[in-house]
Amino acid sequence: MPAVSVDRRRAFPGGGPVPPPATRAAGGRGWILLVLGTLLAAVALLNAMIGAVPLPAEVVVASLAERVGISLEAAVTDQQAAVLWAIRLPRIALAGVVGAALALCGAVMQGIFRNPLAEPGIIGVSSGAALGAVVAILAGGSFTGGYLAAFSIPLAAFVGALVATTAVYLTARHEGRTEVVTLVLCGIAVSAIAGAGVGLAQFVADDDELRSIVFWTLGSVSGARWRDLLVILPLVVVGSAVAIRLAAALNLLVLGEREARYLGVSTEQVRLTLIVVCALVTGAAVAVAGIVGFVGLVVPHLVRLAMGPDHELLLPASTLAGAALLLLADLAARTVAAPAELPLGVVTALIGGPFFFWLLRRARRDQGAWG
Amino acid sequence: MTSLIADRVSYHIGARALVDDVSLTIHPGRLHAVVGPNGAGKTTLLRLLTGDLEPDTGEVRLGDRPLQQWRPREAARQRAVLSQQVVLQFAFTVTQVVEMGRAPYRDRDTPAEVARAVAEALAATDIAHLANRSYPTLSGGERRRADLARVLAQHTPVVLLDEPTAALDVHHQDLVLTVARKLADRGGCAVVAVLHDLNLAAAYADRIAVLADGQLRADAPPSEALDAELLSEVYRHRMVVIEDPVHGGPLVLPSRGRSHLPVPSEQGTMAPERGGPDRCLTRADRWGRVVRADDSARRVDEASMGSAR
């Protein structure tokens, strides 16, 4: 046995001791974010190019430039422009924003709960949203329905997310304070109740409804339209701005609630703000894309492993990395089995799960900490 | 200079008083130890002093105002707290953890000031060599010192330490309490330290508060507060107090399982009595004379007084 484990260690790509993350330096931070931003742009470009109608890079760039009034050499046909602007770009934008939202909320939740296994779903957001969506589907909405139906499901999901989170937070509150363990347990209870509701709905649903429910719970950004972005983009932008402003306080919260208070943080206020932000942002993301697992859990870990746990860097970096990762996952979802499409949630879980194993083992070994 | 005053504070859970009508003044330039058996309410008292808990009756004043009137950030510039245990799940480096001590000054600190405060704190706690290590990989003693460095970096006139020496070896116990001593002597800080080791309290503190069942049983300089009779009663364990032969001051010797024998005695050989708190306790004092528990305190005191003269 020992010999085997030694071999396995060697087999890890990039194994061996990782130098501890250096102390934060403003220059270094800007540089990392620049790299991630470039990576995100590259992945987005890749997503725009690949598909049933291949679009060369120069066509994509030329068409984008045309919109902002710069005329380039490359000729763009009407068909190419239509594919790009009506199909690819909305989907890219939506996948990016959803990925950013989930990763940001994952990082924030792991900080608030001082627990690297936390994810947005822990406060009941996902299960509440699922119940809301399922109720809307049963009530007559459907992904293939009309304009009203298209909005009724996201709206119901959003409301469900908020109701569940509020219920969790209020039941966990005691004498003006909230204990983390109580919060997690209340989250589990609410998730169980919502899960039962979803199960019951699946039980009474007819075949079409069942299909819609399953489709929704597996997550997808297919059929994205620009107007979906109107729902989610403002929330994600404002939410990440608020969260990043509170990043320093979040660092102190990770040290412990009392420690944070001793260091001058109004802990209850900071935590309530961040939970509300996460509920809104995750709720919006789940509402437009269904349940996309693992992004919120894995991305912050990945970022922490690369650049340390300082939230002032972790939050913006997770936002960018989450967007890039979900774009890659969506690219895989629509190309691997083309012309069929895999559910996005299945792809993220399939890639994320094994990767997470590796990440955990490596982090445990090198840093003596989960993450 | 800021002092910290508890004025007749009580704190209850249900009908049980964890802290019962305690008044305590922590003066600038003093190291005030709080001792007492497990469950005596030491940590609860400390949490009342930090403002973490609000007293049911009485009030705690930090400087000129009641604690509740301080805004969190202002309070954080006045008092720093070392908790009994800090659990950090994420791989922050020691430097990052110590930098967190500067959080209350975020709006006015320059990077150079932060770096200097951190470097000083690391040097004072003898962990400069650990600066880039990941906190969760440190040993218990190293973590404790990193936590203390964070508290030092906070540069506050009032410092509260909850069992700062727990999990530390003798050398680092001395290091930590010497740091606390310096804070009081050179920094003019008002320092409170909850300690389990009575002899550490005796050696470093200016005053010792003895807490038992939530009540303040003594609050005096070590030689007065460490009264054998009082200690034996509150700890429900026989103790004798002799003069420390090396450093002077009181030295508390609790009865240990088998250590009270063998004793040369006029009653011949004595079988060790095992068990209960009332077991016979005899000891040899520093001149090899036998001291009995019943009147040990007095005799040893007399003996040590004699030698002092």
Side-chain angles (χ1 to χ4, degrees), chain A residues 19-24 29 110-111 113-116 175 177 248 250-252 254-256 258-259 261-266 301 304 307-312 364 366-371, chain B residues 43 46-47 50-53 72-73 75-76 79-83 85-93 95-97 99-104 106 114 131-134 136-137 147 150 154:
Chain A
T23 45
R24 64 184 149 144
R29 188 182 318 170
Q110 288 168 12
F113 290 100
R114 307 177 60 208
N115 187 332
E175 288 176 0
R177 282 192 186 165
L250 201 52
N251 275 342
L252 302 180
V254 166
L255 202 59
R258 278 186 212 164
E259 270 55 44
R261 250 197 313 269
Y262 298 151
L263 288 165
V265 178
S266 313
H301 275 273
R304 237 184 253 117
M307 50 197 82
D310 180 3
H311 287 84
E312 293 185 67
R364 191 77 197 135
D366 294 340
Q367 300 185 335
W370 299 110
Chain B
T43 294
L46 201 81
R47 290 181 65 189
T50 62
D52 195 27
L53 296 176
R73 174 169 289 194
R79 59 103 181 86
V81 186
L82 178 70
S83 295
Q85 203 186 6
V86 177
V87 180
L88 182 55
Q89 295 264 27
F90 296 107
F92 282 98
T93 63
T95 301
Q96 284 175 318
V97 169
E99 271 175 2
M100 291 179 190
R102 297 306 296 173
R106 211 178 149 73
V114 175
N132 287 322
R133 279 273 296 280
S134 155
T137 65
D147 295 335
R150 169 174 57 77
Q154 216 172 325

Side-chain angles (χ1 to χ4, degrees), chain A residues 109 120-130 157 160-162 164-165 191 278-279 282-283 286:
Chain A
M109 283 292 158
I122 204 168
I123 46 167
V125 181
S126 312
S127 46
L162 291 193
T165 310
S191 294
C278 279
T282 314
V286 176

Side-chain angles (χ1 to χ4, degrees), chain B residues 210-225:
Chain B
V210 180
L211 212 60
D213 294 325
Q215 293 177 335
L216 190 63
R217 298 294 301 271
D219 177 21
S223 54
E224 215 176 303

